[in-house]
């Protein structure tokens, strides 16, 4: 299914975000705090690296044996009284969901966090059919009221300050004017959402894991909203990408140990719920979605991105995401994993270059997705397809010639050192492009590394 596009490239959108320097600093610090919490949580587990390796192997094993695990999952779900549907893309997923809801005359749907439904653009589709959709995750409800998509896959409203949330809640749900205390706002949201749960006709969730051996799904939340949505209405629906499948409960126990730790430094999600079937007198539906995943499996390196368990750790550590914001990416998932899985959907062809290739994302990934290698590969795919963004097709071949010639490279570096030492920054910054606009230019070294090495190699 095609994604919503825009003509503005990553640098242009990042420029909008970076105009508010105070917000950029706050956004970056908030995310780096999550990275620090992640590091402390990981360091407290002696076998952390073994868990990462095992998690990677579990996901790779499942992906390489996907047909049989999908068949096993469907058969066991049906034994448990679950109705299974198959959707080749987002359009088919949305039609299936609408058909189920229409059959039960559903007018209001409460939905817990699901990036797959974002991928399929389910909310606007159902709303166009006259069905009210209420996102029940607190962060998702905030951005839904603010008429925005998520800016992060785990903390979707991370770009908003508490004062902005307070003003939004005052306008939308009637909280006190000027109130911004997080506890007060959370309690107000709880009361607001409780009414939605009690009056909903159906509930819907995403799926963190589908367990083939059990015919069951795992849904992880910190607020219990998925449990409310699954236990109050008689009709429940669950959207699951084919990449979320795992073999058994033992595999789930490994991934559950890393998921929340890597996301926000929490030992485990407050609610890690296993659903094995419908409630008495009710119906449970699982919609299994491909939407391009089978195509990605044909490429050995791109297939590695399907190991992702959507912890968001790569975003928390990424220096580009932290200082450019989630809305600068032309895909519904931002950050390194968004580049890895969404580059082909970006009609500006710019997001593969929203990366320093520092490798920090790969270092923190709980299933060892080689994100920086995949992003570099996405750049190559763009180049081979003749889809380099504006400018790069012209100057990158020249850069390549300079880099491949020691003489030209040394001359260019000499000019750069002279310019940094004697020319004003206002004259040089335009040559630094979008990145240089919000950064201090480096201090010129006294000499080249080659000259330093020749002078000191014998010491």
């Amino acid at each position: 299914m095609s994604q919503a596009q825009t003509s503005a490239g990553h640098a242009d959108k990042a420029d909008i975000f970076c105009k508010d320097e105070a917000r950029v600093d706050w956004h970056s610090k908030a995310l780096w705090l999550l990275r620090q919490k992640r590091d402390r949580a990981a360091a407290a587990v002696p076998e952390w690296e073994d868990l990462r390796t095992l998690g990677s192997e579990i996901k790779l094993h499942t992906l390489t044996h996907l047909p049989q695990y999908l068949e096993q999952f469907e058969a066991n779900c049906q034994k448990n009284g679950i109705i299974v549907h198959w959707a080749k893309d987002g359009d088919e997923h949305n039609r299936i969901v609408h058909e189920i809801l229409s059959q039960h005359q559903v007018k209001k749907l409460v939905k817990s966090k699901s990036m797959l439904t974002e991928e399929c653009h389910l909310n606007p589709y159902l709303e166009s059919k006259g069905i009210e959709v209420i996102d029940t995750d607190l962060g998702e409800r905030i951005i839904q009221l603010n008429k925005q998509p998520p800016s992060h896959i785990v903390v979707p409203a991370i770009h908003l300050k508490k004062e902005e949330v307070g003003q939004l809640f005052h306008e939308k749900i009637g909280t006190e004017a000027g109130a911004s205390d997080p506890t007060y706002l959370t309690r107000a949201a709880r009361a607001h959402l409780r009414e939605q749960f009690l009056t909903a006709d159906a509930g819907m969730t995403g799926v963190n894991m589908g367990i083939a051996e059990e015919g069951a799904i795992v849904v992880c939340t910190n607020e219990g909203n998925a449990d409310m949505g699954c236990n109050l209405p008689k009709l429940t629906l669950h959207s699951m990408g084919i990449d979320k499948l795992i073999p058994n409960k033992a595999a789930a126990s490994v991934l559950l140990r890393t998921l929340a730790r890597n996301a926000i430094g929490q030992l485990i999600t407050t609610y890690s719920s296993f659903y094995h079937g419908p409630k008495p007198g009710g119906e449970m539906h699982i919609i299994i979605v491909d939407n391009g995943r089978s195509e990605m499996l044909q490429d050995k390196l791109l297939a590695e991105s399907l190991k992702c368990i959507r912890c968001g750790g790569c975003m928390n550590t990424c220096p580009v995401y932290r200082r450019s914001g989630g809305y600068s990416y032309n895909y519904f998932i931002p950050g390194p994993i968004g580049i890895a899985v969404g580059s082909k959907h970006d009609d500006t062809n710019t997001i593969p270059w929203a990366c320093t290739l520092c490798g920090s994302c790969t270092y923190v990934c709980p299933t060892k997705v080689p994100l920086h290698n995949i992003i570099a590969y996405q750049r190559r795919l763009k180049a081979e397809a003749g889809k380099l963004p504006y400018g790069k097709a012209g100057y990158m071949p020249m850069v390549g010639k300079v880099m491949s010639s020691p003489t030209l490279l040394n001359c260019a570096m000499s000019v750069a050192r002279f310019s940094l030492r004697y020319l004003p920054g206002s004259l040089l910054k335009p040559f630094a492009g979008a990145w240089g606009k919000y950064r201090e230019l480096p201090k010129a070294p006294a000499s080249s590394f080659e000259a330093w090495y020749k002078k000191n190699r014998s010491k």
Side-chain angles (χ1 to χ4, degrees):
M1 181 179 180
S2 62
Q3 308 296 325
Q5 301 296 335
T6 175
S7 59
H10 177 270
D12 296 317
K13 289 185 168 184
D15 188 43
I16 297 171
F17 183 75
C18 289
K19 284 185 167 106
D20 187 343
E21 292 188 20
R23 186 183 296 273
V24 172
D25 290 341
W26 166 80
H27 185 263
S28 181
K29 288 176 182 177
L31 289 161
W32 188 249
L33 178 63
L34 294 179
R35 164 67 202 270
Q36 290 175 314
K37 289 181 176 180
R38 173 265 175 206
D39 287 350
R40 288 194 292 270
V45 181
E47 66 274 23
W48 179 256
E49 289 304 316
D50 293 333
L51 286 173
R52 291 182 69 220
T53 300
L54 188 54
S56 174
E57 292 172 350
I58 288 168
K59 293 293 288 185
L60 274 179
H61 166 78
T62 312
L63 291 168
T64 53
H65 297 80
L66 198 55
Q68 50 263 52
Y69 279 124
L70 284 169
E71 290 179 1
Q72 182 185 24
F73 179 70
E74 180 186 37
N76 287 330
C77 282
Q78 290 172 341
K79 288 178 183 177
N80 293 335
I82 301 170
I83 303 170
V84 179
H85 309 263
W86 300 85
K88 66 179 182 296
D89 56 25
D91 290 331
E92 188 169 10
H93 166 271
N94 292 348
R95 286 196 300 271
I96 291 169
V97 171
H98 181 244
E99 287 172 4
I100 297 169
L101 297 181
S102 296
Q103 289 168 7
H104 292 80
Q105 299 179 324
V106 171
K107 296 300 180 184
K108 180 188 286 188
L109 173 72
V110 286
K111 183 166 72 66
S112 72
K113 190 167 176 27
S114 166
M115 292 309 295
L116 180 55
T117 59
E118 289 286 340
E119 178 181 346
C120 298
H121 308 295
L122 177 65
N123 282 21
Y125 177 84
L126 292 180
E127 288 164 357
S128 71
K129 303 292 186 181
I131 297 173
E132 183 181 9
V133 182
I134 305 294
D135 282 312
T136 59
D137 172 89
L138 178 56
E140 292 282 338
R141 186 57 177 159
I142 290 170
I143 60 171
Q144 185 181 38
L145 291 173
N146 210 33
K147 301 187 184 305
Q148 290 179 305
S151 69
H152 189 289
I153 62 174
V154 173
V155 280
I158 189 67
H159 60 288
L160 295 174
K161 297 183 178 180
K162 61 182 181 179
E163 291 79 11
E164 294 170 312
V165 175
Q167 179 60 29
L168 176 68
F169 277 16
H170 172 63
E171 295 172 359
K172 300 295 185 179
I173 64 175
T175 56
E176 296 175 8
S180 61
D181 176 66
T183 300
Y184 168 75
L185 296 177
T186 300
R187 287 174 177 169
R190 182 182 298 150
H192 160 71
L193 288 170
R194 185 60 55 92
E195 179 63 26
Q196 308 302 324
F197 284 121
L198 293 173
T199 57
D201 304 306
M204 187 171 191
T205 77
V207 173
N208 290 92
M209 302 169 219
I211 306 177
E213 193 175 88
E214 301 289 321
I217 59 170
V218 184
V219 181
C220 302
T221 69
N222 275 328
E223 302 161 21
N225 54 305
D227 296 291
M228 293 283 285
C230 288
N231 287 290
L232 288 177
K234 288 188 175 182
L235 173 65
T236 62
L237 297 84
H238 309 269
S239 294
M240 186 186 90
I242 60 172
D243 52 311
K244 294 301 179 74
L245 207 58
I246 56 173
N248 48 43
K249 288 188 291 188
S253 69
V254 172
L255 298 178
L256 284 173
R257 291 190 69 193
T258 59
L259 176 61
R261 283 182 169 92
N262 217 69
I264 56 174
Q266 187 175 319
L267 298 185
I268 193 170
T269 47
T270 307
Y271 301 91
S272 300
S273 303
F274 289 63
Y275 296 105
H276 293 80
K279 62 186 296 184
E283 284 186 16
M284 178 176 174
H285 297 256
I286 296 177
I287 305 99
I288 303 174
V289 185
D290 187 318
N291 204 32
R293 288 160 176 77
S294 293
E295 183 181 350
M296 293 179 68
L297 283 170
Q298 307 309 308
D299 187 298
K300 186 175 181 180
L301 186 55
L302 293 182
E304 293 257 355
S305 64
L306 296 177
K307 296 190 300 181
C308 174
I309 58 173
R310 299 295 191 265
C311 71
C314 61
M315 300 176 193
N316 301 338
T317 196
C318 176
V320 180
Y321 170 81
R322 294 201 325 264
R323 301 197 68 83
S324 62
Y327 297 140
S328 60
Y329 297 80
N330 290 329
Y331 194 58
F332 75 100
I333 299 175
I337 186 61
I339 300 172
V341 301
S343 287
K344 76 172 187 176
H345 300 292
D346 172 26
D347 63 354
T348 70
N349 304 308
T350 59
I351 63 171
W353 282 269
C355 175
T356 66
L357 297 180
C358 67
S360 184
C361 51
T362 300
Y363 172 77
V364 303
C365 179
T367 52
K368 293 190 174 183
V369 177
L371 285 161
H372 69 292
N373 291 332
I374 295 174
I375 293 170
Y377 180 56
Q378 290 285 13
R379 295 181 181 183
R380 175 181 293 182
L381 293 178
K382 292 290 187 184
E384 291 174 350
K387 293 181 178 180
L388 288 171
Y390 177 77
K392 292 191 184 296
Y395 70 75
M396 288 305 288
M398 292 188 289
V399 171
K401 289 180 180 179
V402 170
M403 297 284 286
S404 63
S405 168
T407 302
L408 289 176
L409 181 61
N410 287 335
C411 287
M413 293 301 99
S414 295
V415 171
R417 288 193 297 274
F418 177 88
S419 301
L420 286 170
R421 195 171 290 122
Y422 297 109
L423 297 180
S426 59
L427 184 64
L428 295 176
K429 276 203 168 187
F431 293 97
W435 289 114
K437 189 172 181 180
Y438 297 98
R439 286 163 175 77
E440 295 301 321
L441 295 175
K443 184 179 179 180
S447 66
S448 68
F449 174 77
E450 182 181 23
W452 178 92
Y453 183 74
K454 285 180 179 179
K455 180 180 177 180
N456 295 277
R457 64 189 299 181
S458 60
K459 294 182 179 180

